[in-house]
Amino acid sequence: IILPRMSIKNLIPGNKSTLTKSWFKWAAGFASLIFRFPSNNLTVIGITGSQGKTDTAKLLHYLLSKSGKKTALITVDHSIIEDKKFKNGKDYLNPWDIQKMLRKACRANCQFAIIEVTSQAIDQNRLWGINFDTGVLTDINPDHHTEYHGTSAEYIRIKTELFLSLNASERKPNI
């Protein structure tokens, strides 16, 4: 199944931000169903912050892998599963690609999945259907992404949604 590359939000007039969020939430829900909610079988660690997300995710992936834990890494730039590197080829992660990589991690018997979590991904519902177990905050620069979020308060509010989702997530057996 291939999701269309065209931009639906440009076809329908109205609030494009709401439409984008709705489109990505639908796509994330559909991808979660197709790939059978793979995050429920992994310990999922979300790394967020203004800077240092990718480096922190790579470091954590390295440390867990060297300690003998099978670990998947999913960043905006690339993903690593079982020493195989997959180039993402976009400047953002779409829900389909994230769920597909999580399913590959399950098939490879990974115990952990480390995901780089951007504020835009949270705000646009691209991570819907991922059951995060742990969140890591690298830093907060209040002036970061104000062109997208409008204010620093909104940027910080969006970042906190990752951590608020931890308490709302379903607990996983044996994780």
Side-chain angles (χ1 to χ4, degrees), residues 18-79:
T18 301
L19 186 59
T20 299
K21 291 175 188 180
S22 297
W23 166 250
F24 277 125
K25 189 170 187 176
W26 177 87
F30 183 68
S32 296
L33 285 170
I34 293 298
F35 291 107
R36 301 181 320 276
F37 292 91
S39 69
N40 290 341
N41 300 308
L42 300 159
T43 299
V44 182
I45 303 168
I47 312 283
T48 195
S50 300
Q51 296 175 326
K53 295 181 291 291
T54 304
D55 290 339
T56 302
K58 286 178 182 178
L59 177 62
L60 187 55
H61 176 259
Y62 174 81
L63 292 172
L64 285 169
S65 296
K66 287 299 179 186
S67 72
K69 306 293 184 191
K70 289 187 93 172
T71 306
L73 172 68
I74 302 171
T75 70
V76 172
D77 181 59
H78 67 276
S79 300

Side-chain angles (χ1 to χ4, degrees), residues 8-173:
I8 289 256
K9 67 183 181 181
N10 291 331
L11 299 176
I12 304 171
N15 185 334
K16 295 195 186 334
S17 176
T18 301
L19 186 59
T20 299
K21 291 175 188 180
S22 297
W23 166 250
F24 277 125
K25 189 170 187 176
W26 177 87
F30 183 68
S32 296
L33 285 170
I34 293 298
F35 291 107
R36 301 181 320 276
F37 292 91
S39 69
N40 290 341
N41 300 308
L42 300 159
T43 299
V44 182
I45 303 168
I47 312 283
T48 195
S50 300
Q51 296 175 326
K53 295 181 291 291
T54 304
D55 290 339
T56 302
K58 286 178 182 178
L59 177 62
L60 187 55
H61 176 259
Y62 174 81
L63 292 172
L64 285 169
S65 296
K66 287 299 179 186
S67 72
K69 306 293 184 191
K70 289 187 93 172
T71 306
L73 172 68
I74 302 171
T75 70
V76 172
D77 181 59
H78 67 276
S79 300
I80 299 174
I81 300 170
E82 279 197 318
D83 298 325
K84 294 178 188 158
K85 190 172 184 177
F86 303 89
K87 186 83 173 136
N88 290 333
K90 298 179 206 74
D91 58 354
Y92 71 94
L93 287 170
N94 72 51
W96 188 264
D97 292 339
I98 298 169
Q99 294 293 341
K100 181 170 69 173
M101 286 297 138
L102 289 172
R103 177 51 55 200
K104 283 184 180 189
C106 289
R107 286 189 191 123
N109 295 314
C110 289
Q111 298 166 276
F112 293 89
I114 302 163
I115 303 174
E116 178 181 0
V117 177
T118 66
S119 60
Q120 292 95 336
I122 297 169
D123 186 52
Q124 294 173 1
N125 296 308
R126 287 188 259 144
L127 304 171
W128 191 91
I130 298 175
N131 197 349
F132 286 95
D133 297 287
T134 303
V136 176
L137 177 67
T138 60
D139 71 329
I140 286 283
N141 177 346
D143 297 324
H144 199 67
H145 290 306
T146 53
E147 76 287 349
Y148 176 85
H149 295 292
T151 66
S152 56
E154 179 64 7
Y155 172 65
I156 292 168
R157 186 192 70 74
I158 293 297
K159 287 289 190 186
T160 61
E161 286 186 20
L162 172 65
F163 300 95
L164 293 173
S165 75
L166 297 176
N167 287 331
S169 294
E170 180 180 317
R171 295 297 98 202
K172 301 172 193 174

